[in-house]
Amino acid sequence: MAKRLTKLQMLQNGATAPKKVDASDSICADFLIYLKRECHLAKNTVDAYRRDMMQFVKWLDGRKPETMGVSDLSDFIGFLHDRELAPASISRNIVAVRTFYKYLQLEGIATENPAELLATQKSWQRMPGVLSPSEVDAFLSAVKKSDQFWERDRALLEVLYATGCRASEVCSLRVRDLSLSEKHLRCHGKGDKQRMVPIGGRAIAAIELYLSHARGILAARGPSLCDELFLSRGGRPLDRVQLWRLVKRYAERVGILSEISPHSLRHSFATHLLAGGADLRQVQEMLGHASIQTTQIYTHVEHSRLQRVHREFHPRA
């Protein structure tokens, strides 16, 4: 399958595509260009579509997408299940294929969209992983002064939990986005939508320490000046893969062996706020969710807490 994926892979690397490519591969590559240039989707969104379309091209195995019916596409869902993808990942793949077939209709390549009949997985079938408050405390204390650039790492972890920002949002934070004296920062979310996010005292102190010590050292190592807040050891903006590795390293250090990721801190942020009595609409605004239904996935912890209270205090529980 390497030859069939060549154009998609080279498009990702910014290189010129080869002259001879598989037809479905070429159409998918054109679809990604359409998403970027005509739909003006964010780079991270286009990258997600690219990964999903690579799965679809692999499954097509040289067949033309316009010849596929709903029964054929149902086999594609089975293909995704066989790869043991999470329900949320399968749902995202289905959405990508639906959008792809809409593109084929616009281009006159397909007359129907068989993917419209595919049923998506319910996102609540797999609740997001949430750390307990004690686990969060242990995790945030995992960074030691003996660690290289410990000021950066401590500030990074504190910001993840204090703001509930996505990994990509934390990586794109700029120094000029900080308003520490006013206890908030400007976050650049999906679709380049901006929102103001409050930030607490511990995170502010960690950021100030990082700015006064380690960031200048890291910035001096870079090939050029950059405004991003969190920098790699080479002086470049920290990317999501590096952020994920740092989170995994410190989680393992304190014995948190569950599937923790930067998103786990976002899940924990929302769940702990709701369990503490925060208003759902306010949490929605802080998370940057377009729909409150997305935020409601975190209320399962609040419901379980109320059930425990009911069992403990109600005379007929």
Side-chain angles (χ1 to χ4, degrees), residues 1-13 17-18 20-22 24-26 28-29 32 50-61 83:
M1 290 309 301
K3 292 183 178 179
R4 293 193 178 99
L5 297 180
T6 300
K7 186 175 180 181
L8 285 174
Q9 292 170 334
M10 295 190 73
L11 181 65
Q12 185 174 12
N13 295 329
K20 293 184 179 181
V21 294
D22 183 87
S24 59
D25 177 63
S26 180
C28 289
L32 295 173
R50 178 181 290 108
R51 290 190 293 270
D52 294 337
M53 294 314 298
M54 282 184 170
Q55 296 260 32
F56 188 55
V57 167
K58 183 175 183 178
W59 172 79
L60 281 172
D61 195 23
R83 295 175 67 87

PDB file of all heavy atoms in Angstrom, residues 1-13 17-18 20-22 24-26 28-29 32 50-61 83:
ATOM      1  N   MET A   1       0.813  -1.214   0.000  1.00  0.00           N
ATOM      2  CA  MET A   1       0.000   0.000   0.000  1.00  0.00           C
ATOM      3  C   MET A   1       0.847   1.266   0.000  1.00  0.00           C
ATOM      4  O   MET A   1       0.320   2.349  -0.091  1.00  0.00           O
ATOM      5  CB  MET A   1      -0.902   0.005   1.226  1.00  0.00           C
ATOM      6  CG  MET A   1      -2.022  -1.025   1.185  1.00  0.00           C
ATOM      7  SD  MET A   1      -2.960  -0.947  -0.346  1.00  0.00           S
ATOM      8  CE  MET A   1      -3.535   0.720  -0.302  1.00  0.00           C
ATOM      9  N   ALA A   2       2.163   1.140   0.134  1.00  0.00           N
ATOM     10  CA  ALA A   2       3.004   2.329   0.224  1.00  0.00           C
ATOM     11  C   ALA A   2       2.852   3.204  -1.017  1.00  0.00           C
ATOM     12  O   ALA A   2       2.791   4.418  -0.936  1.00  0.00           O
ATOM     13  CB  ALA A   2       4.457   1.929   0.419  1.00  0.00           C
ATOM     14  N   LYS A   3       2.758   2.580  -2.221  1.00  0.00           N
ATOM     15  CA  LYS A   3       2.653   3.353  -3.449  1.00  0.00           C
ATOM     16  C   LYS A   3       1.338   4.113  -3.506  1.00  0.00           C
ATOM     17  O   LYS A   3       1.265   5.212  -4.016  1.00  0.00           O
ATOM     18  CB  LYS A   3       2.783   2.428  -4.654  1.00  0.00           C
ATOM     19  CG  LYS A   3       4.174   1.830  -4.812  1.00  0.00           C
ATOM     20  CD  LYS A   3       4.259   0.992  -6.071  1.00  0.00           C
ATOM     21  CE  LYS A   3       5.665   0.430  -6.241  1.00  0.00           C
ATOM     22  NZ  LYS A   3       5.771  -0.407  -7.453  1.00  0.00           N
ATOM     23  N   ARG A   4       0.260   3.516  -2.993  1.00  0.00           N
ATOM     24  CA  ARG A   4      -1.036   4.180  -3.055  1.00  0.00           C
ATOM     25  C   ARG A   4      -1.099   5.377  -2.116  1.00  0.00           C
ATOM     26  O   ARG A   4      -1.901   6.267  -2.303  1.00  0.00           O
ATOM     27  CB  ARG A   4      -2.145   3.192  -2.719  1.00  0.00           C
ATOM     28  CG  ARG A   4      -2.300   2.099  -3.761  1.00  0.00           C
ATOM     29  CD  ARG A   4      -3.615   1.342  -3.550  1.00  0.00           C
ATOM     30  NE  ARG A   4      -3.777   0.336  -4.566  1.00  0.00           N
ATOM     31  CZ  ARG A   4      -3.512  -0.944  -4.408  1.00  0.00           C
ATOM     32  NH1 ARG A   4      -3.083  -1.360  -3.241  1.00  0.00           N
ATOM     33  NH2 ARG A   4      -3.666  -1.798  -5.382  1.00  0.00           N
ATOM     34  N   LEU A   5      -0.278   5.383  -1.101  1.00  0.00           N
ATOM     35  CA  LEU A   5      -0.313   6.476  -0.133  1.00  0.00           C
ATOM     36  C   LEU A   5       0.738   7.541  -0.436  1.00  0.00           C
ATOM     37  O   LEU A   5       0.824   8.524   0.276  1.00  0.00           O
ATOM     38  CB  LEU A   5      -0.090   5.929   1.279  1.00  0.00           C
ATOM     39  CG  LEU A   5      -1.152   4.956   1.781  1.00  0.00           C
ATOM     40  CD1 LEU A   5      -0.794   4.506   3.186  1.00  0.00           C
ATOM     41  CD2 LEU A   5      -2.529   5.572   1.770  1.00  0.00           C
ATOM     42  N   THR A   6       1.479   7.355  -1.502  1.00  0.00           N
ATOM     43  CA  THR A   6       2.610   8.237  -1.761  1.00  0.00           C
ATOM     44  C   THR A   6       2.181   9.688  -1.896  1.00  0.00           C
ATOM     45  O   THR A   6       2.772  10.583  -1.317  1.00  0.00           O
ATOM     46  CB  THR A   6       3.347   7.800  -3.042  1.00  0.00           C
ATOM     47  OG1 THR A   6       3.823   6.473  -2.860  1.00  0.00           O
ATOM     48  CG2 THR A   6       4.516   8.715  -3.310  1.00  0.00           C
ATOM     49  N   LYS A   7       1.126   9.945  -2.656  1.00  0.00           N
ATOM     50  CA  LYS A   7       0.746  11.331  -2.892  1.00  0.00           C
ATOM     51  C   LYS A   7       0.277  11.988  -1.604  1.00  0.00           C
ATOM     52  O   LYS A   7       0.600  13.147  -1.336  1.00  0.00           O
ATOM     53  CB  LYS A   7      -0.348  11.408  -3.957  1.00  0.00           C
ATOM     54  CG  LYS A   7      -0.673  12.852  -4.348  1.00  0.00           C
ATOM     55  CD  LYS A   7      -1.677  12.918  -5.482  1.00  0.00           C
ATOM     56  CE  LYS A   7      -1.973  14.372  -5.852  1.00  0.00           C
ATOM     57  NZ  LYS A   7      -2.948  14.485  -6.924  1.00  0.00           N
ATOM     58  N   LEU A   8      -0.493  11.268  -0.805  1.00  0.00           N
ATOM     59  CA  LEU A   8      -0.946  11.840   0.463  1.00  0.00           C
ATOM     60  C   LEU A   8       0.228  12.138   1.378  1.00  0.00           C
ATOM     61  O   LEU A   8       0.291  13.183   2.019  1.00  0.00           O
ATOM     62  CB  LEU A   8      -1.905  10.881   1.163  1.00  0.00           C
ATOM     63  CG  LEU A   8      -3.325  10.783   0.585  1.00  0.00           C
ATOM     64  CD1 LEU A   8      -4.082   9.683   1.312  1.00  0.00           C
ATOM     65  CD2 LEU A   8      -4.045  12.096   0.701  1.00  0.00           C
ATOM     66  N   GLN A   9       1.178  11.214   1.424  1.00  0.00           N
ATOM     67  CA  GLN A   9       2.336  11.411   2.287  1.00  0.00           C
ATOM     68  C   GLN A   9       3.205  12.564   1.792  1.00  0.00           C
ATOM     69  O   GLN A   9       3.691  13.367   2.580  1.00  0.00           O
ATOM     70  CB  GLN A   9       3.158  10.126   2.363  1.00  0.00           C
ATOM     71  CG  GLN A   9       2.428   9.003   3.101  1.00  0.00           C
ATOM     72  CD  GLN A   9       3.128   7.680   2.962  1.00  0.00           C
ATOM     73  OE1 GLN A   9       3.841   7.446   1.996  1.00  0.00           O
ATOM     74  NE2 GLN A   9       2.910   6.790   3.908  1.00  0.00           N
ATOM     75  N   MET A  10       3.380  12.666   0.496  1.00  0.00           N
ATOM     76  CA  MET A  10       4.203  13.732  -0.045  1.00  0.00           C
ATOM     77  C   MET A  10       3.501  15.074   0.089  1.00  0.00           C
ATOM     78  O   MET A  10       4.128  16.110   0.296  1.00  0.00           O
ATOM     79  CB  MET A  10       4.550  13.451  -1.507  1.00  0.00           C
ATOM     80  CG  MET A  10       5.431  12.224  -1.682  1.00  0.00           C
ATOM     81  SD  MET A  10       6.063  12.045  -3.349  1.00  0.00           S
ATOM     82  CE  MET A  10       7.286  13.336  -3.390  1.00  0.00           C
ATOM     83  N   LEU A  11       2.164  15.060  -0.016  1.00  0.00           N
ATOM     84  CA  LEU A  11       1.412  16.290   0.201  1.00  0.00           C
ATOM     85  C   LEU A  11       1.601  16.776   1.637  1.00  0.00           C
ATOM     86  O   LEU A  11       1.753  17.964   1.887  1.00  0.00           O
ATOM     87  CB  LEU A  11      -0.080  16.039  -0.079  1.00  0.00           C
ATOM     88  CG  LEU A  11      -1.015  17.245   0.074  1.00  0.00           C
ATOM     89  CD1 LEU A  11      -0.687  18.301  -0.966  1.00  0.00           C
ATOM     90  CD2 LEU A  11      -2.467  16.813  -0.038  1.00  0.00           C
ATOM     91  N   GLN A  12       1.631  15.822   2.574  1.00  0.00           N
ATOM     92  CA  GLN A  12       1.836  16.173   3.977  1.00  0.00           C
ATOM     93  C   GLN A  12       3.214  16.792   4.190  1.00  0.00           C
ATOM     94  O   GLN A  12       3.393  17.690   5.007  1.00  0.00           O
ATOM     95  CB  GLN A  12       1.692  14.926   4.836  1.00  0.00           C
ATOM     96  CG  GLN A  12       1.757  15.203   6.332  1.00  0.00           C
ATOM     97  CD  GLN A  12       1.462  13.967   7.145  1.00  0.00           C
ATOM     98  OE1 GLN A  12       1.426  12.867   6.623  1.00  0.00           O
ATOM     99  NE2 GLN A  12       1.255  14.158   8.419  1.00  0.00           N
ATOM    100  N   ASN A  13       4.202  16.334   3.414  1.00  0.00           N
ATOM    101  CA  ASN A  13       5.566  16.834   3.565  1.00  0.00           C
ATOM    102  C   ASN A  13       5.844  18.057   2.698  1.00  0.00           C
ATOM    103  O   ASN A  13       6.938  18.588   2.697  1.00  0.00           O
ATOM    104  CB  ASN A  13       6.572  15.733   3.207  1.00  0.00           C
ATOM    105  CG  ASN A  13       6.496  14.576   4.187  1.00  0.00           C
ATOM    106  OD1 ASN A  13       6.175  14.778   5.345  1.00  0.00           O
ATOM    107  ND2 ASN A  13       6.781  13.374   3.707  1.00  0.00           N
ATOM    108  N   ALA A  17       3.946  15.810  -5.975  1.00  0.00           N
ATOM    109  CA  ALA A  17       3.424  14.462  -6.117  1.00  0.00           C
ATOM    110  C   ALA A  17       4.016  13.776  -7.333  1.00  0.00           C
ATOM    111  O   ALA A  17       4.365  14.422  -8.318  1.00  0.00           O
ATOM    112  CB  ALA A  17       1.903  14.499  -6.248  1.00  0.00           C
ATOM    113  N   PRO A  18       4.148  12.452  -7.304  1.00  0.00           N
ATOM    114  CA  PRO A  18       4.659  11.721  -8.461  1.00  0.00           C
ATOM    115  C   PRO A  18       3.654  11.732  -9.603  1.00  0.00           C
ATOM    116  O   PRO A  18       2.477  11.993  -9.400  1.00  0.00           O
ATOM    117  CB  PRO A  18       4.852  10.299  -7.905  1.00  0.00           C
ATOM    118  CG  PRO A  18       3.883  10.209  -6.768  1.00  0.00           C
ATOM    119  CD  PRO A  18       3.830  11.566  -6.172  1.00  0.00           C
ATOM    120  N   LYS A  20       2.602   9.173 -11.550  1.00  0.00           N
ATOM    121  CA  LYS A  20       1.714   8.027 -11.572  1.00  0.00           C
ATOM    122  C   LYS A  20       1.259   7.714 -10.151  1.00  0.00           C
ATOM    123  O   LYS A  20       2.056   7.338  -9.309  1.00  0.00           O
ATOM    124  CB  LYS A  20       2.415   6.813 -12.174  1.00  0.00           C
ATOM    125  CG  LYS A  20       2.722   6.966 -13.662  1.00  0.00           C
ATOM    126  CD  LYS A  20       3.335   5.692 -14.216  1.00  0.00           C
ATOM    127  CE  LYS A  20       3.618   5.828 -15.699  1.00  0.00           C
ATOM    128  NZ  LYS A  20       4.207   4.588 -16.265  1.00  0.00           N
ATOM    129  N   VAL A  21      -0.026   7.909  -9.901  1.00  0.00           N
ATOM    130  CA  VAL A  21      -0.569   7.625  -8.584  1.00  0.00           C
ATOM    131  C   VAL A  21      -1.882   6.895  -8.749  1.00  0.00           C
ATOM    132  O   VAL A  21      -2.515   6.931  -9.788  1.00  0.00           O
ATOM    133  CB  VAL A  21      -0.806   8.921  -7.772  1.00  0.00           C
ATOM    134  CG1 VAL A  21       0.495   9.596  -7.453  1.00  0.00           C
ATOM    135  CG2 VAL A  21      -1.707   9.876  -8.540  1.00  0.00           C
ATOM    136  N   ASP A  22      -2.295   6.216  -7.707  1.00  0.00           N
ATOM    137  CA  ASP A  22      -3.584   5.552  -7.696  1.00  0.00           C
ATOM    138  C   ASP A  22      -4.689   6.594  -7.781  1.00  0.00           C
ATOM    139  O   ASP A  22      -4.602   7.669  -7.188  1.00  0.00           O
ATOM    140  CB  ASP A  22      -3.703   4.726  -6.417  1.00  0.00           C
ATOM    141  CG  ASP A  22      -4.992   3.951  -6.380  1.00  0.00           C
ATOM    142  OD1 ASP A  22      -5.026   2.842  -6.916  1.00  0.00           O
ATOM    143  OD2 ASP A  22      -5.958   4.479  -5.815  1.00  0.00           O
ATOM    144  N   SER A  24      -7.822   6.749  -6.544  1.00  0.00           N
ATOM    145  CA  SER A  24      -8.471   7.110  -5.293  1.00  0.00           C
ATOM    146  C   SER A  24      -7.540   7.941  -4.421  1.00  0.00           C
ATOM    147  O   SER A  24      -7.962   8.867  -3.727  1.00  0.00           O
ATOM    148  CB  SER A  24      -8.920   5.853  -4.545  1.00  0.00           C
ATOM    149  OG  SER A  24      -7.825   5.008  -4.264  1.00  0.00           O
ATOM    150  N   ASP A  25      -6.251   7.626  -4.473  1.00  0.00           N
ATOM    151  CA  ASP A  25      -5.256   8.396  -3.724  1.00  0.00           C
ATOM    152  C   ASP A  25      -5.208   9.833  -4.217  1.00  0.00           C
ATOM    153  O   ASP A  25      -5.160  10.783  -3.432  1.00  0.00           O
ATOM    154  CB  ASP A  25      -3.894   7.727  -3.878  1.00  0.00           C
ATOM    155  CG  ASP A  25      -2.780   8.495  -3.191  1.00  0.00           C
ATOM    156  OD1 ASP A  25      -2.845   8.616  -1.958  1.00  0.00           O
ATOM    157  OD2 ASP A  25      -1.875   8.970  -3.883  1.00  0.00           O
ATOM    158  N   SER A  26      -5.265  10.006  -5.527  1.00  0.00           N
ATOM    159  CA  SER A  26      -5.214  11.339  -6.112  1.00  0.00           C
ATOM    160  C   SER A  26      -6.447  12.145  -5.741  1.00  0.00           C
ATOM    161  O   SER A  26      -6.350  13.336  -5.412  1.00  0.00           O
ATOM    162  CB  SER A  26      -5.097  11.220  -7.641  1.00  0.00           C
ATOM    163  OG  SER A  26      -5.050  12.494  -8.236  1.00  0.00           O
ATOM    164  N   CYS A  28      -8.336  11.770  -3.096  1.00  0.00           N
ATOM    165  CA  CYS A  28      -8.266  12.096  -1.674  1.00  0.00           C
ATOM    166  C   CYS A  28      -7.303  13.254  -1.430  1.00  0.00           C
ATOM    167  O   CYS A  28      -7.570  14.125  -0.591  1.00  0.00           O
ATOM    168  CB  CYS A  28      -7.833  10.872  -0.868  1.00  0.00           C
ATOM    169  SG  CYS A  28      -9.093   9.581  -0.762  1.00  0.00           S
ATOM    170  N   ALA A  29      -6.199  13.265  -2.164  1.00  0.00           N
ATOM    171  CA  ALA A  29      -5.246  14.367  -2.019  1.00  0.00           C
ATOM    172  C   ALA A  29      -5.869  15.682  -2.470  1.00  0.00           C
ATOM    173  O   ALA A  29      -5.687  16.729  -1.840  1.00  0.00           O
ATOM    174  CB  ALA A  29      -3.980  14.070  -2.819  1.00  0.00           C
ATOM    175  N   LEU A  32      -8.150  17.015   0.230  1.00  0.00           N
ATOM    176  CA  LEU A  32      -7.455  17.704   1.316  1.00  0.00           C
ATOM    177  C   LEU A  32      -7.098  19.134   0.921  1.00  0.00           C
ATOM    178  O   LEU A  32      -7.182  20.064   1.742  1.00  0.00           O
ATOM    179  CB  LEU A  32      -6.194  16.933   1.709  1.00  0.00           C
ATOM    180  CG  LEU A  32      -6.429  15.545   2.315  1.00  0.00           C
ATOM    181  CD1 LEU A  32      -5.104  14.817   2.503  1.00  0.00           C
ATOM    182  CD2 LEU A  32      -7.173  15.630   3.629  1.00  0.00           C
ATOM    183  N   ARG A  50      -6.589  14.101   6.951  1.00  0.00           N
ATOM    184  CA  ARG A  50      -5.563  13.372   6.192  1.00  0.00           C
ATOM    185  C   ARG A  50      -5.336  11.983   6.781  1.00  0.00           C
ATOM    186  O   ARG A  50      -5.268  10.990   6.046  1.00  0.00           O
ATOM    187  CB  ARG A  50      -4.249  14.165   6.197  1.00  0.00           C
ATOM    188  CG  ARG A  50      -3.111  13.455   5.464  1.00  0.00           C
ATOM    189  CD  ARG A  50      -1.829  14.268   5.518  1.00  0.00           C
ATOM    190  NE  ARG A  50      -1.933  15.459   4.700  1.00  0.00           N
ATOM    191  CZ  ARG A  50      -2.037  16.696   5.171  1.00  0.00           C
ATOM    192  NH1 ARG A  50      -2.057  16.902   6.477  1.00  0.00           N
ATOM    193  NH2 ARG A  50      -2.117  17.722   4.363  1.00  0.00           N
ATOM    194  N   ARG A  51      -5.247  11.902   8.095  1.00  0.00           N
ATOM    195  CA  ARG A  51      -5.028  10.591   8.737  1.00  0.00           C
ATOM    196  C   ARG A  51      -6.211   9.661   8.476  1.00  0.00           C
ATOM    197  O   ARG A  51      -6.018   8.467   8.201  1.00  0.00           O
ATOM    198  CB  ARG A  51      -4.818  10.789  10.235  1.00  0.00           C
ATOM    199  CG  ARG A  51      -3.494  11.458  10.591  1.00  0.00           C
ATOM    200  CD  ARG A  51      -3.229  11.409  12.084  1.00  0.00           C
ATOM    201  NE  ARG A  51      -4.174  12.232  12.837  1.00  0.00           N
ATOM    202  CZ  ARG A  51      -3.978  13.507  13.135  1.00  0.00           C
ATOM    203  NH1 ARG A  51      -2.877  14.119  12.734  1.00  0.00           N
ATOM    204  NH2 ARG A  51      -4.872  14.180  13.841  1.00  0.00           N
ATOM    205  N   ASP A  52      -7.413  10.203   8.549  1.00  0.00           N
ATOM    206  CA  ASP A  52      -8.594   9.378   8.323  1.00  0.00           C
ATOM    207  C   ASP A  52      -8.691   8.923   6.865  1.00  0.00           C
ATOM    208  O   ASP A  52      -9.073   7.785   6.580  1.00  0.00           O
ATOM    209  CB  ASP A  52      -9.865  10.150   8.707  1.00  0.00           C
ATOM    210  CG  ASP A  52      -9.928  10.439  10.200  1.00  0.00           C
ATOM    211  OD1 ASP A  52      -9.270   9.709  10.968  1.00  0.00           O
ATOM    212  OD2 ASP A  52     -10.631  11.384  10.593  1.00  0.00           O
ATOM    213  N   MET A  53      -8.333   9.805   5.945  1.00  0.00           N
ATOM    214  CA  MET A  53      -8.406   9.434   4.532  1.00  0.00           C
ATOM    215  C   MET A  53      -7.339   8.407   4.176  1.00  0.00           C
ATOM    216  O   MET A  53      -7.534   7.590   3.269  1.00  0.00           O
ATOM    217  CB  MET A  53      -8.260  10.682   3.646  1.00  0.00           C
ATOM    218  CG  MET A  53      -9.412  11.677   3.766  1.00  0.00           C
ATOM    219  SD  MET A  53     -11.063  10.908   3.699  1.00  0.00           S
ATOM    220  CE  MET A  53     -11.040  10.180   2.055  1.00  0.00           C
ATOM    221  N   MET A  54      -6.219   8.409   4.875  1.00  0.00           N
ATOM    222  CA  MET A  54      -5.224   7.358   4.653  1.00  0.00           C
ATOM    223  C   MET A  54      -5.791   5.993   5.016  1.00  0.00           C
ATOM    224  O   MET A  54      -5.532   4.995   4.331  1.00  0.00           O
ATOM    225  CB  MET A  54      -3.957   7.656   5.460  1.00  0.00           C
ATOM    226  CG  MET A  54      -3.058   8.710   4.854  1.00  0.00           C
ATOM    227  SD  MET A  54      -1.535   8.923   5.805  1.00  0.00           S
ATOM    228  CE  MET A  54      -0.598   9.962   4.671  1.00  0.00           C
ATOM    229  N   GLN A  55      -6.579   5.951   6.103  1.00  0.00           N
ATOM    230  CA  GLN A  55      -7.252   4.700   6.489  1.00  0.00           C
ATOM    231  C   GLN A  55      -8.206   4.268   5.387  1.00  0.00           C
ATOM    232  O   GLN A  55      -8.279   3.088   5.019  1.00  0.00           O
ATOM    233  CB  GLN A  55      -8.036   4.913   7.795  1.00  0.00           C
ATOM    234  CG  GLN A  55      -7.181   5.249   8.991  1.00  0.00           C
ATOM    235  CD  GLN A  55      -6.944   4.039   9.879  1.00  0.00           C
ATOM    236  OE1 GLN A  55      -6.868   2.909   9.410  1.00  0.00           O
ATOM    237  NE2 GLN A  55      -6.817   4.284  11.162  1.00  0.00           N
ATOM    238  N   PHE A  56      -8.950   5.244   4.852  1.00  0.00           N
ATOM    239  CA  PHE A  56      -9.960   4.938   3.829  1.00  0.00           C
ATOM    240  C   PHE A  56      -9.303   4.455   2.541  1.00  0.00           C
ATOM    241  O   PHE A  56      -9.765   3.487   1.915  1.00  0.00           O
ATOM    242  CB  PHE A  56     -10.808   6.181   3.567  1.00  0.00           C
ATOM    243  CG  PHE A  56     -11.999   5.935   2.678  1.00  0.00           C
ATOM    244  CD1 PHE A  56     -12.935   4.953   2.999  1.00  0.00           C
ATOM    245  CD2 PHE A  56     -12.190   6.686   1.529  1.00  0.00           C
ATOM    246  CE1 PHE A  56     -14.040   4.729   2.180  1.00  0.00           C
ATOM    247  CE2 PHE A  56     -13.291   6.470   0.714  1.00  0.00           C
ATOM    248  CZ  PHE A  56     -14.207   5.489   1.041  1.00  0.00           C
ATOM    249  N   VAL A  57      -8.208   5.106   2.136  1.00  0.00           N
ATOM    250  CA  VAL A  57      -7.498   4.688   0.918  1.00  0.00           C
ATOM    251  C   VAL A  57      -6.917   3.289   1.091  1.00  0.00           C
ATOM    252  O   VAL A  57      -6.954   2.465   0.166  1.00  0.00           O
ATOM    253  CB  VAL A  57      -6.382   5.708   0.587  1.00  0.00           C
ATOM    254  CG1 VAL A  57      -5.434   5.152  -0.473  1.00  0.00           C
ATOM    255  CG2 VAL A  57      -6.982   7.012   0.107  1.00  0.00           C
ATOM    256  N   LYS A  58      -6.419   3.005   2.269  1.00  0.00           N
ATOM    257  CA  LYS A  58      -5.882   1.667   2.526  1.00  0.00           C
ATOM    258  C   LYS A  58      -6.973   0.624   2.386  1.00  0.00           C
ATOM    259  O   LYS A  58      -6.761  -0.449   1.805  1.00  0.00           O
ATOM    260  CB  LYS A  58      -5.274   1.618   3.930  1.00  0.00           C
ATOM    261  CG  LYS A  58      -4.629   0.288   4.267  1.00  0.00           C
ATOM    262  CD  LYS A  58      -3.941   0.341   5.624  1.00  0.00           C
ATOM    263  CE  LYS A  58      -3.237  -0.973   5.930  1.00  0.00           C
ATOM    264  NZ  LYS A  58      -2.520  -0.943   7.226  1.00  0.00           N
ATOM    265  N   TRP A  59      -8.169   0.937   2.915  1.00  0.00           N
ATOM    266  CA  TRP A  59      -9.279  -0.017   2.824  1.00  0.00           C
ATOM    267  C   TRP A  59      -9.759  -0.159   1.384  1.00  0.00           C
ATOM    268  O   TRP A  59     -10.110  -1.258   0.947  1.00  0.00           O
ATOM    269  CB  TRP A  59     -10.421   0.446   3.718  1.00  0.00           C
ATOM    270  CG  TRP A  59     -11.668  -0.376   3.537  1.00  0.00           C
ATOM    271  CD1 TRP A  59     -11.927  -1.608   4.061  1.00  0.00           C
ATOM    272  CD2 TRP A  59     -12.804  -0.023   2.746  1.00  0.00           C
ATOM    273  NE1 TRP A  59     -13.164  -2.048   3.644  1.00  0.00           N
ATOM    274  CE2 TRP A  59     -13.724  -1.097   2.846  1.00  0.00           C
ATOM    275  CE3 TRP A  59     -13.141   1.096   1.978  1.00  0.00           C
ATOM    276  CZ2 TRP A  59     -14.959  -1.077   2.188  1.00  0.00           C
ATOM    277  CZ3 TRP A  59     -14.362   1.121   1.333  1.00  0.00           C
ATOM    278  CH2 TRP A  59     -15.260   0.043   1.431  1.00  0.00           C
ATOM    279  N   LEU A  60      -9.784   0.949   0.625  1.00  0.00           N
ATOM    280  CA  LEU A  60     -10.246   0.874  -0.770  1.00  0.00           C
ATOM    281  C   LEU A  60      -9.397  -0.090  -1.597  1.00  0.00           C
ATOM    282  O   LEU A  60      -9.918  -0.793  -2.472  1.00  0.00           O
ATOM    283  CB  LEU A  60     -10.202   2.263  -1.411  1.00  0.00           C
ATOM    284  CG  LEU A  60     -11.342   3.229  -1.069  1.00  0.00           C
ATOM    285  CD1 LEU A  60     -11.042   4.617  -1.628  1.00  0.00           C
ATOM    286  CD2 LEU A  60     -12.689   2.718  -1.573  1.00  0.00           C
ATOM    287  N   ASP A  61      -8.104  -0.101  -1.336  1.00  0.00           N
ATOM    288  CA  ASP A  61      -7.192  -1.040  -1.995  1.00  0.00           C
ATOM    289  C   ASP A  61      -7.315  -0.974  -3.515  1.00  0.00           C
ATOM    290  O   ASP A  61      -7.399  -1.990  -4.209  1.00  0.00           O
ATOM    291  CB  ASP A  61      -7.463  -2.462  -1.504  1.00  0.00           C
ATOM    292  CG  ASP A  61      -6.334  -3.419  -1.869  1.00  0.00           C
ATOM    293  OD1 ASP A  61      -5.205  -2.941  -2.084  1.00  0.00           O
ATOM    294  OD2 ASP A  61      -6.587  -4.642  -1.928  1.00  0.00           O
ATOM    295  N   ARG A  83      -9.287  -2.921  13.628  1.00  0.00           N
ATOM    296  CA  ARG A  83      -8.056  -2.233  14.029  1.00  0.00           C
ATOM    297  C   ARG A  83      -8.132  -1.740  15.472  1.00  0.00           C
ATOM    298  O   ARG A  83      -7.228  -1.074  15.955  1.00  0.00           O
ATOM    299  CB  ARG A  83      -7.783  -1.057  13.087  1.00  0.00           C
ATOM    300  CG  ARG A  83      -7.481  -1.494  11.655  1.00  0.00           C
ATOM    301  CD  ARG A  83      -7.326  -0.295  10.725  1.00  0.00           C
ATOM    302  NE  ARG A  83      -6.141   0.489  11.046  1.00  0.00           N
ATOM    303  CZ  ARG A  83      -4.932   0.244  10.557  1.00  0.00           C
ATOM    304  NH1 ARG A  83      -4.744  -0.783   9.739  1.00  0.00           N
ATOM    305  NH2 ARG A  83      -3.905   1.006  10.886  1.00  0.00           N
TER     306      ARG A  83
END
